Amino acid sequence: MVPPTLHNPPSDVEADDFVTVYHPHSQLSPSIVHFQDFRRDLPEDNADSIPSQPWAPFRSHVDFAFARFVQDASLNNELTERLIHIVEEIMEKPSDFTFKTSRDVKGAWDVAAHLTPAFRTFTITHTSGRNVNPEDYTFHYRPVLEWGLSLLADPLLAPKFSWHAKRLYKADHSKRLHRWIDEPDTADTWWDIESLLPSDGVPLFFDIYADKTRLSSFGTQKGYPIMARVGNLPEEIRKGNNFGGAEVVGFLPIVEKEEKEGRKTFINLKRIVWHEAFDELLKGVAAHAATGLKFRCGDGMERILYPIILMLVADYEEQSVMALTRGVNGLRPCPVCLVPQDQQSVLGVQPLYPLRQMSDAKPYLDDKSLRKSDLEAHLQPLGLRPVENVFWKLPYVNVYEAVSWDRLHAYHGGLFSDHLFAQFQEIVALPGFGKAMMAKINARCDNIPRWKNLNHFAEICAVHFTDGTKYEDISKFVIPCSYKLLGPAVLPRAHLLLKCIRLYTVLDMFTGLEVQTEARLRVYADYLVRYAAAIHVKEYPDKNWNFPKMHTHQHLIQDILSKGASRNYNTKPFETKHGVLKSIYANQTNFKNIDEQLSRHSHYRTVSEIIQRRIDAYHAAFSNFDKIQVEENVPKVDTFRFDRAHLGARQPWRSFEDIENSHSDDRAFARFRLDFEDFYNRTLRSGEPVGHGQHRLTWRRIQPVMEARYIKVDYESVVSWKPLTDHLRCSPSFQNDPRHDHVLYMINDDTVGFAQLVFAFVFTHPEDTVTPPVRHPIALVRPLEQVMHRRSNADIGMGLHRLKTSTSRPTEFIKIDSIVRGALIMEDWDLEEHITADRLLIDTIDSDMFIRILEGFPGWST
């Protein structure tokens, strides 16, 4: 479970330094980078690699922009021609725009089609059951290796590839090095595979995804896309929506016959067709994985490539097809280990049952003398199907290790949505609770402050979603919205369920961390065992917790050590692309020969992304050159940018007196000018310009300040050390409602605290002689104090981070540059539906806040 330690660490390492140790095949020496200099930016594009006409083979940039718009909007032929007619009438340069009909647009895509491998077809022929007449299944695909090499041949993309494994370490304050893992090239499988390759060869890794999707609104028309990514590309590219990201490489035949569904022979036929299709898709990979392939890459370097499947990304149902297990009803349902069906809810720090191996099944399938009944007798106890697995043919691939835990379906759209939250909804609908209980919980949910990228819900008690992200958001606040209403005296079962949900949310936060370390994995393993123990209580006599999504997170730690952070194999980036296929189906097909039309339009979209990437690089390198040259001598200065903060939604300058009068009903402004005067003379004097003297400065009533109702705060993630941004509001009317966000801020050099923004403004020193005067950003806030001592059992068990308004400091002024980041803090309610003086911090709003609380507030976190 523990990442290996570094032997013979460099002697000149300082505290907080980052150390990178490269695979021996790279012939690179370890590197040391100081914390303040650490960056993982993508290399810049080489201007010499950018064509002079990046829109080619389109006849002009205007033609390409038009064709891309038609594609993005999924316009059919009729709408395309109507749009062309309109453009012809209004465009200023008719000679640059050459399309006359939708056929011209399609023809342009056909001309450009050579930029990426085209789809082809392969026919799979099989008989079903007692049917003596063979049936044909058509598979539309583009070979994975051929597609991957087309990316590597691109001169703009090739320099972004990573070729060698590395191990990353960070020094603590005692200069001891701790390994951390994020990308696949920092994990163990890449290192281990590269060690098996000849020293002059490099791996070319692929991630493969497959899943059915409903193309039509009513679900009658389905598609079965296969998507692929090149694992050597950095996360910013491979998980993006542009060239270099995941692409559709095939559409599996859908084998369905209502009258045969559920029959063993028909289920096996589906698996046979699936694996034979993948056999064709991966032929190039199988042919060169052992011997290597010499290839001249887009960066001009010739490399010997070993194409290898690194990970299989799918939900549990699809993993069962990939691993050829018998699914949820099998005697051994897990695609990774041999856990019995009735032991799936028993979890350990390490897997409790043997891991699957190819040798479990392959010898029986290779033995052609075995009768079907004997083969079934050998494989059924193992939970395997009597079908040859295509991945057994691929060197360096263990299919049972390649299948990867999927956070979206295992947690958000599985363990939480279908089980924990389903139990919650069942409880609040019980007789005696019903509508009254639901109304109270829904009111608390609706009262939660808005937060960027967090869905806001007016009700949660009786709603159902197909989007796992919505369930992820609900899991963050369902406890603070309901814990008082579902206390142990009300219903013990409900109270214990909320404790289980808290343990689940902690697990979820750990699984989603962008960077993993030994310490974090140890804590995750501990919570995994605690969660399993909490589930096994007598209050759930009618609930069976033995199901795959209760078990599969048992294998996450090994997945992280082997393949990096869980985001590397989350299905969410792939599933977002289903929307494009649904749009193509609805708007650009005639609802016949669907796979052929989806393949064609998917091909066009890849072409479009290639050309757009070239145009973007061209503009970045050349179009703004003259403008940049001129502006180098006249740099733009954002006068409302203060170190990490930018102030926006600025109001006209107003006097202290005017501000006090306009807030006469708010006690926070009763001594606004005088309190600011005290704050200034006590806190800010040391920062005054030379010559201001040491006399106490008196601020006049007419002295103007400028209110700012928006603060953008940049900060560095304590998880990934990457830049993040929070958008904070401090406004009496934002979208027709008052909004005063909360912040985490530095009280002094060693102490952080929480506060609510009341009023943000800038001032200029009345004696400042500089033109224009220097602006200073200040915020009036309501400090909040953590309830650290004598925490209730409910607060501890449910992870409630309680805050109270400070009685000694009802309000105070702070420098805006002391704000670390925003914080989502909600009001707490009593049983009489009154809002109390308490506040509750949502620590699971994101990974950065979660780790800040966990590691920075010992004794306050769960």
Side-chain angles (χ1 to χ4, degrees):
M1 178 185 123
V2 181
T5 55
L6 177 61
H7 300 289
N8 302 318
S11 58
D12 53 346
V13 172
E14 299 178 5
D16 283 336
D17 278 358
F18 289 90
V19 177
T20 302
V21 178
Y22 298 92
H23 193 279
H25 288 184
S26 70
Q27 299 183 342
L28 296 173
S29 301
S31 66
I32 302 174
V33 179
H34 297 317
F35 183 86
Q36 62 271 21
D37 301 323
F38 181 72
R39 296 288 184 274
R40 301 185 76 187
D41 299 328
L42 294 175
E44 294 184 358
D45 294 326
N46 182 357
D48 294 337
S49 301
I50 304 171
S52 58
Q53 293 186 332
W55 49 81
F58 285 79
R59 285 172 283 190
S60 69
H61 186 189
V62 173
D63 275 6
F64 172 73
F66 178 85
R68 184 174 170 84
F69 170 80
V70 169
Q71 182 185 79
D72 290 345
S74 299
L75 299 184
N76 58 26
N77 290 344
E78 180 183 353
L79 291 176
T80 301
E81 298 204 13
R82 284 173 57 189
L83 181 59
I84 290 174
H85 179 69
I86 294 171
V87 172
E88 281 184 325
E89 293 179 348
I90 64 173
M91 63 184 181
E92 295 180 1
K93 295 180 179 181
S95 60
D96 281 359
F97 190 77
T98 63
F99 294 140
K100 301 300 179 184
T101 67
S102 61
R103 184 175 298 177
D104 294 341
V105 179
K106 181 180 180 301
W109 289 124
D110 289 339
V111 170
H114 69 279
L115 294 177
T116 187
F119 280 78
R120 60 191 71 172
T121 59
F122 176 71
T123 301
I124 301 167
T125 303
H126 272 284
T127 57
S128 174
R130 298 178 181 178
N131 186 0
V132 294
N133 298 317
E135 295 186 53
D136 291 338
Y137 303 95
T138 303
F139 176 41
H140 295 260
Y141 74 105
R142 41 184 168 183
V144 161
L145 179 59
E146 189 177 334
W147 168 82
L149 293 176
S150 72
L151 270 63
L152 184 51
D154 186 89
L156 292 175
L157 203 57
K160 310 293 194 293
F161 278 63
S162 172
W163 292 114
H164 295 288
K166 51 182 172 284
R167 284 178 176 158
L168 306 177
Y169 301 84
K170 186 174 183 294
D172 61 20
H173 293 295
S174 64
K175 300 184 181 181
R176 183 186 176 200
L177 294 177
H178 300 272
R179 185 180 171 197
W180 55 279
I181 295 173
D182 60 349
E183 288 282 82
D185 62 356
T186 71
D188 291 344
T189 295
W190 190 318
W191 185 286
D192 294 342
I193 289 177
E194 188 172 353
S195 299
L196 297 173
L197 300 179
S199 59
D200 60 347
V202 292
L204 178 63
F205 286 118
F206 293 97
D207 307 334
I208 304 295
Y209 162 91
D211 195 17
K212 285 182 186 175
T213 185
R214 296 179 179 179
L215 298 173
S216 60
S217 300
F218 298 101
T220 54
Q221 181 64 54
K222 299 177 183 177
Y224 207 155
I226 306 170
M227 301 183 199
R229 290 189 309 218
V230 174
N232 302 65
L233 286 168
E235 181 208 14
E236 296 91 332
I237 294 177
R238 75 173 185 274
K239 288 181 63 179
N241 294 318
N242 300 317
F243 182 53
E247 296 280 358
V248 176
V249 294
F251 290 94
L252 285 162
I254 296 179
V255 183
E256 287 184 340
K257 287 190 177 181
E258 187 174 348
E259 69 277 8
K260 295 185 178 181
E261 294 296 334
R263 297 181 186 176
K264 188 182 299 182
T265 55
F266 192 67
I267 294 173
N268 290 340
L269 172 65
K270 289 183 177 185
R271 306 302 185 262
I272 291 169
V273 171
W274 194 101
H275 280 260
E276 288 193 8
F278 260 79
D279 186 46
E280 182 67 19
L281 180 75
L282 301 176
K283 268 188 176 177
V285 173
H288 297 286
T291 59
L293 169 69
K294 187 176 288 187
F295 185 78
R296 182 167 294 279
C297 306
D299 58 1
M301 298 291 292
E302 191 173 77
R303 296 179 174 90
I304 299 177
L305 307 174
Y306 289 80
I308 297 166
I309 304 301
L310 179 62
M311 53 185 92
L312 299 173
V313 183
D315 61 16
Y316 170 78
E317 290 72 21
E318 196 69 22
Q319 288 181 15
S320 297
V321 179
M322 293 171 167
L324 285 171
T325 57
R326 301 194 180 213
V328 66
N329 294 319
L331 297 178
R332 309 278 178 166
C334 179
V336 178
C337 78
L338 294 173
V339 59
Q341 188 183 62
D342 61 356
Q343 295 296 308
Q344 294 177 91
S345 61
V346 180
L347 304 174
V349 173
Q350 300 280 1
L352 303 177
Y353 294 89
L355 301 179
R356 291 187 181 275
Q357 301 294 334
M358 182 170 63
S359 57
D360 294 342
K362 194 173 186 301
Y364 300 118
L365 284 161
D366 290 343
D367 186 353
K368 303 306 179 185
S369 65
L370 281 178
R371 295 179 301 179
K372 287 184 178 180
S373 59
D374 294 333
L375 185 60
E376 181 74 6
H378 285 296
L379 297 182
Q380 187 179 23
L382 298 173
L384 293 172
R385 296 199 177 277
V387 177
E388 185 81 19
N389 195 309
V390 64
F391 298 106
W392 292 345
K393 300 179 181 180
L394 303 179
Y396 308 110
V397 178
N398 180 337
V399 61
Y400 311 114
E401 294 177 359
V403 291
S404 308
W405 186 81
D406 172 32
R407 185 181 177 210
L408 174 64
H409 291 97
Y411 268 9
H412 308 148
L415 186 54
F416 182 73
S417 65
D418 297 345
H419 300 279
L420 293 169
F421 190 59
Q423 287 284 305
F424 174 85
Q425 290 184 315
E426 179 183 308
I427 288 171
V428 298
L430 288 172
F433 291 161
K435 293 183 179 179
M437 173 71 76
M438 293 182 185
K440 292 177 182 179
I441 293 174
N442 289 336
R444 287 159 169 75
C445 291
D446 194 28
N447 194 51
I448 294 174
R450 265 65 171 177
W451 193 258
K452 186 182 179 184
N453 298 327
L454 180 73
N455 287 291
H456 188 87
F457 299 90
E459 58 177 308
I460 64 169
C461 293
V463 294
H464 301 278
F465 305 100
T466 57
D467 180 3
T469 301
K470 289 185 169 60
Y471 286 110
E472 178 185 6
D473 292 348
I474 289 173
S475 70
K476 298 177 185 297
F477 54 76
V478 64
I479 294 174
C481 288
S482 61
Y483 80 100
K484 280 187 178 176
L485 298 169
L486 299 175
V490 178
L491 187 65
R493 171 189 170 195
H495 184 72
L496 290 170
L497 175 66
L498 293 182
K499 288 188 174 183
C500 290
I501 290 177
R502 172 58 187 180
L503 292 169
Y504 158 83
T505 58
V506 171
L507 289 173
D508 183 43
M509 294 308 299
F510 273 108
T511 64
L513 294 179
E514 300 90 339
V515 169
Q516 295 286 359
T517 64
E518 172 188 340
R520 291 169 186 170
L521 292 179
R522 286 189 185 279
V523 177
Y524 174 81
D526 175 63
Y527 270 93
L528 195 65
V529 176
R530 290 170 59 183
Y531 172 74
I535 286 296
H536 288 98
V537 293
K538 297 179 181 179
E539 278 71 13
Y540 300 100
D542 300 323
K543 173 64 178 174
N544 181 7
W545 292 97
N546 287 305
F547 51 85
K549 291 175 184 178
M550 177 66 191
H551 165 80
T552 54
H553 50 177
Q554 175 73 83
H555 303 294
L556 174 61
I557 290 177
Q558 187 55 48
D559 273 345
I560 290 171
L561 295 175
S562 300
K563 293 169 279 191
S566 69
R567 62 182 179 174
N568 296 329
Y569 32 89
N570 194 332
T571 58
K572 184 182 290 189
F574 291 99
E575 297 212 348
T576 57
K577 296 181 181 293
H578 286 188
V580 175
L581 298 176
K582 293 176 182 180
S583 179
I584 292 173
Y585 170 78
N587 301 309
Q588 293 182 283
T589 72
N590 60 4
F591 310 114
K592 300 176 182 177
N593 301 319
I594 300 303
D595 285 356
E596 186 277 326
Q597 295 183 71
L598 290 176
S599 299
R600 173 159 44 86
H601 286 288
S602 296
H603 185 200
Y604 289 165
R605 285 178 181 269
T606 304
V607 171
S608 174
E609 296 298 343
I610 294 172
I611 297 174
Q612 187 62 54
R613 173 71 179 87
R614 295 175 181 177
I615 291 173
D616 291 343
Y618 180 87
H619 285 165
F622 302 116
S623 297
N624 293 323
F625 180 76
D626 294 335
K627 183 178 178 182
I628 292 171
Q629 291 292 95
V630 171
E631 292 183 350
E632 276 183 349
N633 298 322
V634 190
K636 283 188 176 181
V637 178
D638 182 354
T639 56
F640 288 91
R641 176 79 189 189
F642 307 95
D643 191 20
R644 298 180 301 101
H646 168 84
L647 271 60
R650 299 180 292 273
Q651 307 301 303
W653 290 89
R654 299 166 61 196
S655 68
F656 279 108
E657 184 176 38
D658 187 20
I659 291 172
E660 288 181 347
N661 290 337
S662 63
H663 295 84
S664 59
D665 58 344
D666 189 341
R667 294 180 59 186
F669 290 85
R671 288 175 44 88
F672 182 71
R673 177 180 62 87
L674 295 176
D675 287 345
F676 173 72
E677 183 177 299
D678 289 341
F679 167 77
Y680 178 84
N681 285 285
R682 184 180 67 254
T683 307
L684 301 182
R685 294 289 296 208
S686 61
E688 287 184 356
V690 176
H692 280 204
Q694 297 302 315
H695 63 280
R696 177 181 173 86
L697 185 66
T698 301
W699 292 80
R700 297 181 297 167
R701 292 178 182 275
I702 61 172
Q703 178 72 29
V705 297
M706 177 183 284
E707 179 187 4
R709 297 179 176 179
Y710 164 74
I711 306 174
K712 183 176 75 170
V713 178
D714 297 327
Y715 60 99
E716 186 177 80
S717 168
V718 297
V719 178
S720 65
W721 309 290
K722 291 183 178 180
L724 298 174
T725 300
D726 276 346
H727 302 270
L728 308 174
R729 300 288 173 178
C730 179
S731 174
S733 180
F734 178 70
Q735 297 181 351
N736 300 319
D737 287 309
R739 178 164 164 182
H740 296 273
D741 287 337
H742 294 78
V743 297
L744 176 72
Y745 73 107
M746 297 299 302
I747 298 174
N748 53 49
D749 291 343
D750 303 314
T751 310
V752 294
F754 296 91
Q756 183 178 29
L757 296 170
V758 177
F759 190 83
F761 62 98
V762 295
F763 75 91
T764 59
H765 197 288
E767 298 178 5
D768 201 338
T769 58
V770 179
T771 304
V774 178
R775 299 182 175 118
H776 305 273
I778 300 294
L780 178 66
V781 301
R782 289 191 177 91
L784 300 170
E785 297 176 348
Q786 299 104 276
V787 179
M788 303 282 287
H789 304 292
R790 296 182 180 178
R791 296 178 69 204
S792 69
N793 290 332
D795 282 10
I796 295 172
M798 298 187 190
L800 297 174
H801 298 83
R802 192 173 299 278
L803 300 147
K804 287 183 180 291
T805 304
S806 174
T807 55
S808 60
R809 300 173 297 143
T811 60
E812 68 178 10
F813 289 96
I814 65 171
K815 293 187 289 185
I816 282 180
D817 61 10
S818 71
I819 295 175
V820 177
R821 55 155 297 166
L824 180 60
I825 296 175
M826 62 178 287
E827 295 169 323
D828 196 20
W829 300 47
D830 62 22
L831 293 175
E832 284 70 42
E833 300 304 291
H834 299 135
I835 295 174
T836 71
D838 288 4
R839 301 291 182 267
L840 298 173
L841 168 73
I842 308 297
D843 66 322
T844 54
I845 189 62
D846 55 48
S847 60
D848 176 83
M849 180 61 78
F850 179 72
I851 293 298
R852 285 183 191 272
I853 301 302
L854 183 72
E855 299 179 353
F857 294 86
W860 197 41
S861 59
T862 301

